[in-house]
């Protein structure tokens, strides 16, 4: 028989604690099944068949999973941003995420808590995304002005928090600034996978209104669509992508996956096909970038961006070559 409840333990508190334990167990089991039972088994098999040993390494398996997730959600959301001429919002929210990471590390250092920096980064980036939209809609600020205000303000907050601890959290924050393959833990990979499912699901459900708002905002208002709500939704989705990609790309380069693969796919006609092409370009950039970063022991984020730029250059060269043939 279970021990008696203390005076401070109410039945509701016990039930809540048990439900929390049940949720944690369910998450652990799901993570084991997905990462080890499915993903790990597939890559172990590929490693055995191809002799490509690095895909059999557990930390590289997590890095490849993160890379694939980034390759999907980055260009997916970025396609809407680029066509709305809001490409720089990714950079703004990346700096906001930097402030969120600094806030999480500061709270942990000052109060001896164990708050996840990724969670605080997501919250701060989402709030910043809504702040950008609010400045545009209600304060009368131009879009680039609102982006500049939020970007500089967020970075200022982050820098103040870093120096407030006499540099004590500077070491911890460096991994988020530049990204790292080693920082992708099993828990991070599971969270990133969940974020990817959420982003893809939301975009699929709201696809038609988002397209309408993206290409004909005036017409969308005329037919009764809540343009502000969908703009806020897109901004929050961008915040999710930024925080998700931050683990590998780092804050400094995270906006690249929202823009460069989309730019590489611009010659493709038809919005759905251009999204598919952008995701394909993202796959090439992230998978090849992660592999090269391991081989040459260089920064993963920078390598991914350079490969993405190479894909963009090849895309433009193909367009120019095709034009010469036509002429």
């Amino acid at each position: 028989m279970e021990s008696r409840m203390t005076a401070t333990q109410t039945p509701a508190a016990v039930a809540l604690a048990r439900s929390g334990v049940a949720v944690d167990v369910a998450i652990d089991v799901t993570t084991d099944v997905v990462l080890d039972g499915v993903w790990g088994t597939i890559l172990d098999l590929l490693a055995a068949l191809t002799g490509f040993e690095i895909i059999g390494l557990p930390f590289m398996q997590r890095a490849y999973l993160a890379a694939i997730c980034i390759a999907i959600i980055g260009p997916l959301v970025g396609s809407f941003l680029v066509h709305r001429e809001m490409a720089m919002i990714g950079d703004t929210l990346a700096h906001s995420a930097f402030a969120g990471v600094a806030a999480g590390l500061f709270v942990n250092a000052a109060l001896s808590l164990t708050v996840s920096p990724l969670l605080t980064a997501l919250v701060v980036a989402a709030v910043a995304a809504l702040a950008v939209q609010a400045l545009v809609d209600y304060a009368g600020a131009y879009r680039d002005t609102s982006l500049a205000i939020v970007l500089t303000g967020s970075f200022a907050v982050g820098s103040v928090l870093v120096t407030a601890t006499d540099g004590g959290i500077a070491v911890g924050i460096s991994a988020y600034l530049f990204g790292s393959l080693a920082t992708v833990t099993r828990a991070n990979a599971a969270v990133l996978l969940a974020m990817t499912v959420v982003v893809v699901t939301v975009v699929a459900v709201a696809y038609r209104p988002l397209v309408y708002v993206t290409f004909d905002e005036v017409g969308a208002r005329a037919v009764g669509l809540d343009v502000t709500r969908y703009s806020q939704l897109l901004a929050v989705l961008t915040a999710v992508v930024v925080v998700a990609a931050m683990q590998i790309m780092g804050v400094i380069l995270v906006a690249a996956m929202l823009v460069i693969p989309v730019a590489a796919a611009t010659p493709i006609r038809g919005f759905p096909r251009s999204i598919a092409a952008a995701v394909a370009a993202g796959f090439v950039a992230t998978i090849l970038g992660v592999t090269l970063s391991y081989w040459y022991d260089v920064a993963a984020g920078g390598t991914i961006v350079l490969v993405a730029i190479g894909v963009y250059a090849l895309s433009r060269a193909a367009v120019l070559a095709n034009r010469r043939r036509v002429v």
Side-chain angles (χ1 to χ4, degrees):
M1 186 175 180
E2 296 181 359
S3 60
R4 295 179 180 178
M5 293 185 298
T6 63
T8 58
Q9 287 180 315
T10 65
V14 173
L16 183 61
R18 288 175 177 173
S19 63
V21 172
V23 170
D24 290 339
V25 171
I27 292 174
D28 290 340
V29 171
T30 303
T31 302
D32 290 339
V33 171
V34 174
L35 294 184
D36 299 330
V38 179
W39 182 247
T41 300
I42 291 173
L43 291 194
D44 286 340
L45 181 60
L46 286 176
L49 292 175
T50 62
F52 202 50
E53 295 181 356
I54 68 170
I55 63 177
L57 301 175
F59 83 96
M60 285 300 292
Q61 292 178 351
R62 296 192 294 270
Y64 280 124
L65 178 61
I68 290 174
C69 291
I70 294 168
I72 294 172
I73 59 177
L76 177 62
V77 174
S79 295
F80 293 97
L81 296 177
V82 169
H83 286 89
R84 292 198 70 186
E85 298 182 352
M86 291 183 62
M88 287 306 297
I89 193 174
D91 197 35
T92 299
L93 297 185
H95 285 76
S96 301
F98 163 74
V101 169
L105 294 175
F106 176 81
V107 168
N108 290 342
L111 304 178
S112 299
L113 298 177
T114 55
V115 178
S116 170
L118 286 179
L119 177 60
T120 55
L122 180 59
V123 172
V124 172
V127 171
L130 296 177
V132 169
Q133 195 61 42
L135 285 172
V136 173
D137 292 337
Y138 304 112
Y142 291 109
R143 185 166 289 166
D144 58 345
T145 302
S146 65
L147 291 174
I149 291 171
V150 175
L151 186 153
T152 53
S154 299
F155 198 76
V157 170
S159 62
V160 167
L161 290 176
V162 170
T163 55
T165 58
D166 296 326
I169 64 174
V171 175
I173 206 170
S174 62
Y176 295 97
L177 282 174
F178 302 103
S180 171
L181 295 177
T183 60
V184 186
T185 64
R186 295 179 77 256
N188 292 152
V191 170
L192 179 52
L193 185 59
M195 285 181 173
T196 301
V197 172
V198 170
V199 170
V200 172
T201 302
V202 171
V203 171
V205 171
Y207 178 77
R208 288 184 180 277
L210 285 174
V211 171
Y212 208 162
V213 170
T214 297
F215 290 98
D216 189 2
E217 186 172 317
V218 175
R221 292 185 186 276
V223 299
L225 284 179
D226 191 339
V227 174
T228 298
R229 184 182 68 178
Y230 284 107
S231 297
Q232 291 173 341
L233 174 63
L234 185 60
V236 172
L237 287 175
T238 306
V240 173
V241 173
V242 165
V243 174
M246 186 171 59
Q247 298 174 82
I248 285 185
M249 302 294 296
V251 168
I252 295 175
L253 299 173
V254 69
M257 289 307 295
L258 289 163
V259 178
I260 299 177
V262 179
T266 50
I268 305 298
R269 293 183 178 180
F271 190 60
R273 288 194 294 272
S274 69
I275 291 178
V279 171
F283 266 102
V284 173
T286 55
I287 297 300
L288 186 56
V290 166
T291 304
L292 291 175
S293 70
Y294 174 79
W295 278 346
Y296 297 102
D297 194 22
V298 292
T303 307
I304 291 172
V305 172
L306 291 176
V307 174
I309 292 174
V311 173
Y312 170 74
L314 289 175
S315 171
R316 301 311 302 171
V319 170
L320 292 175
N322 184 61
R323 287 178 181 173
R324 290 175 181 174
R325 283 199 301 268
V326 172
V327 173

